[in-house]
């Protein structure tokens, strides 16, 4: 027996809520394609991302700790996989389209530069007078223009829903492909966005402890951590310090995911959301932490910024990296022939600064280091 496409559509009809995005209602792709016999549009989009070069390169890009400095620390790739898993949990619990949330989650960091937060800041500064740099919009450039997989067109030709799902920050009357975008993304995209935040809150506590940048004593100053400790100790009283610590982080993540699911369900109900477009036209996202709980998560984020992302040890490494990014950018702009073959073909189309940015943003940490050594000494 074979599960045909029509069976999958029927399954969506009976299993998803009225406000979920259904495959049959997709606004389609820029270049028309025949339907696949076994996979829906969003499943195909997910697979296209998994099979892309940019996705594979996430393995060698820094999330927080310089790539290669610790075998257990997160990379952009493992971060992305965790975001996708949490997005699926939330979408499933809320009767939303899991495939769409997962796909947006898998694509959400494709536009990230090498060297994590500092790499991105460096890129922002370098592009200040040339149209700026935003990693969300860069992800869109990756899937629309920079991936080269098909003979007839540039990019991966993904659906409108996945592409617009990557545009998080929308100004008033923002246009995309000649159409005005509503103020909010689809609920499935809102899920990937919140899942991204809470995933890194959880794993950066884990990695920060692992790397010795923070301690449990420091975390005790945070209400959300104390809540996780209480939850963990109510469920497990025995075990080594390491096991209790891991279990506490597990409780922290579970608590955040649960809070978003319960509160978002209430938001959807109180805003009387009936169809996928309703949630897009609200002033606030419906997928959100409960407001009082959110304050606790913000305190955690501030703690992480101060003690992990921009602490003295990390800053020192970052400053070196930023300097390298600057030198490499300058070297390429002055001598574009140093760049790779494909990047050179784009010079006339997008201008030298943008071609260099597209090239550099796509690099892994180690390739950027090698290029620095080759071009800047
Ligand atoms: Mg992310």
């Amino acid at each position: 027996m074979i599960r045909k496409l029509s069976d999958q559509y029927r399954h969506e009809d009976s299993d998803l809520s009225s406000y979920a995005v259904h495959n049959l209602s997709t606004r389609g792709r820029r270049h028309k394609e025949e339907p696949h016999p076994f996979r829906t549009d969003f499943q195909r989009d997910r697979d296209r991302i998994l099979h892309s070069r940019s996705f594979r390169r996430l393995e060698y890009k820094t999330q927080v700790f310089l790539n290669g400095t610790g075998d257990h620390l997160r990379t952009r790739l493992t971060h992305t996989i965790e975001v996708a898993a949490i997005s699926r949990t939330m979408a499933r619990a809320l009767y939303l389209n899991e495939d769409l949330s997962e796909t947006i989650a898998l694509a959400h960091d494709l536009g990230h530069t090498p060297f994590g937060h500092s790499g991105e800041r460096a890129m922002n500064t370098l592009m200040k007078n040339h149209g700026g740099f935003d990693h969300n919009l860069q992800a869109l450039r990756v899937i629309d223009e920079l991936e080269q997989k098909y003979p007839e067109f540039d990019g991966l030709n993904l659906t409108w829903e996945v592409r617009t799902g990557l545009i998080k920050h929308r100004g008033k009357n923002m246009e995309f492909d000649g159409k005005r975008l509503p103020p909010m993304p689809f609920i499935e995209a809102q899920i990937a966005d919140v899942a991204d935040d809470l995933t890194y809150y959880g794993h950066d506590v884990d990695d920060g402890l692992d790397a010795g940048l923070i301690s449990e004593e420091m975390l005790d100053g945070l209400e959300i951590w104390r809540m996780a400790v209480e939850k963990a100790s109510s469920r497990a009283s025995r075990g080594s310090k390491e096991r209790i610590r891991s279990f506490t982080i597990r409780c922290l993540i579970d608590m955040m995911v649960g809070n978003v699911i319960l509160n978002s369900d209430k938001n959807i109900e109180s805003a009387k959301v009936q169809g996928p477009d309703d949630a897009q036209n609200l002033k606030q996202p419906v997928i959100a932490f409960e407001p009082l709980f959110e304050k606790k998560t913000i305190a955690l984020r501030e703690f992480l910024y101060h003690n992990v992302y921009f602490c003295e040890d990390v800053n020192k490494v970052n400053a070196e990296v930023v300097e390298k990014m600057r030198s490499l950018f300058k070297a390429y702009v002055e001598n574009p022939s140093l760049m790779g073959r494909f990047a050179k073909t784009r010079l006339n189309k997008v201008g030298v600064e943008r071609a260099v940015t597209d090239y550099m943003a796509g690099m892994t940490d180690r390739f950027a280091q090698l290029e620095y050594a080759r071009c800047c000494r």
Side-chain angles (χ1 to χ4, degrees), residues 63 76 79 83 108-109 112 196 200:
Q63 175 67 25
R76 282 271 164 218
H79 159 73
V83 176
H108 89 280
D109 267 356
H112 258 292
D196 181 21
Y200 80 74

Coordinates of all heavy atoms in Angstrom, one line a residue, residues 63 76 79 83 108-109 112 196 200, ligand 1:
Q63 N 28.2 29.0 16.7 CA 27.0 29.5 17.3 C 27.4 30.6 18.3 O 27.1 31.7 18.2 CB 26.2 28.3 18.0 CG 25.0 28.7 18.7 CD 23.9 29.3 17.8 OE1 23.8 28.9 16.6 NE2 23.0 30.1 18.3
R76 N 26.3 26.0 14.7 CA 25.0 26.4 14.1 C 24.2 25.3 13.6 O 23.0 25.4 13.7 CB 25.4 27.2 12.8 CG 25.8 28.6 13.0 CD 24.7 29.6 13.1 NE 25.3 30.8 13.7 CZ 24.6 31.6 14.5 NH1 23.4 31.4 14.9 NH2 25.3 32.6 15.1
H79 N 22.5 23.6 16.8 CA 21.5 24.6 17.2 C 20.3 24.5 16.3 O 19.1 24.4 16.8 CB 22.1 26.0 17.2 CG 21.1 27.1 17.1 ND1 20.3 27.5 18.3 CD2 20.6 27.9 16.1 CE1 19.5 28.5 17.9 NE2 19.6 28.7 16.6
V83 N 16.4 23.6 17.3 CA 15.2 24.6 17.0 C 14.2 23.8 16.2 O 13.0 24.0 16.5 CB 15.7 25.8 16.2 CG1 14.5 26.7 15.9 CG2 16.7 26.6 17.0
H108 N 16.4 28.9 9.2 CA 16.4 30.2 9.8 C 17.8 30.8 10.0 O 18.0 32.0 10.1 CB 15.7 30.2 11.2 CG 16.5 29.8 12.3 ND1 16.8 28.5 12.6 CD2 17.2 30.6 13.3 CE1 17.6 28.5 13.7 NE2 17.8 29.7 14.1
D109 N 18.8 30.0 10.1 CA 20.2 30.5 10.3 C 21.1 30.4 9.0 O 22.3 30.6 9.1 CB 20.9 29.8 11.5 CG 20.6 30.5 12.8 OD1 20.1 31.6 12.7 OD2 21.0 30.0 13.8
H112 N 23.6 33.2 8.4 CA 24.5 33.7 9.4 C 26.0 33.7 8.9 O 26.4 32.7 8.2 CB 24.4 32.8 10.7 CG 23.6 33.5 11.7 ND1 24.1 34.7 12.4 CD2 22.4 33.3 12.3 CE1 23.3 35.1 13.2 NE2 22.2 34.3 13.2
D196 N 13.6 29.4 18.3 CA 15.0 29.8 18.2 C 15.4 30.4 19.5 O 16.5 30.1 20.1 CB 15.1 30.8 17.0 CG 16.5 31.3 16.8 OD1 17.4 30.6 17.2 OD2 16.7 32.3 16.2
Y200 N 18.2 28.7 22.2 CA 19.5 29.2 22.6 C 19.6 29.6 24.1 O 20.7 29.4 24.7 CB 20.1 30.2 21.6 CG 19.6 31.7 21.7 CD1 20.1 32.5 22.7 CD2 18.8 32.2 20.7 CE1 19.7 33.8 22.8 CE2 18.4 33.6 20.8 CZ 18.9 34.4 21.8 OH 18.5 35.7 21.9
Ligands
LIG1 MG1 19.1 30.7 15.5

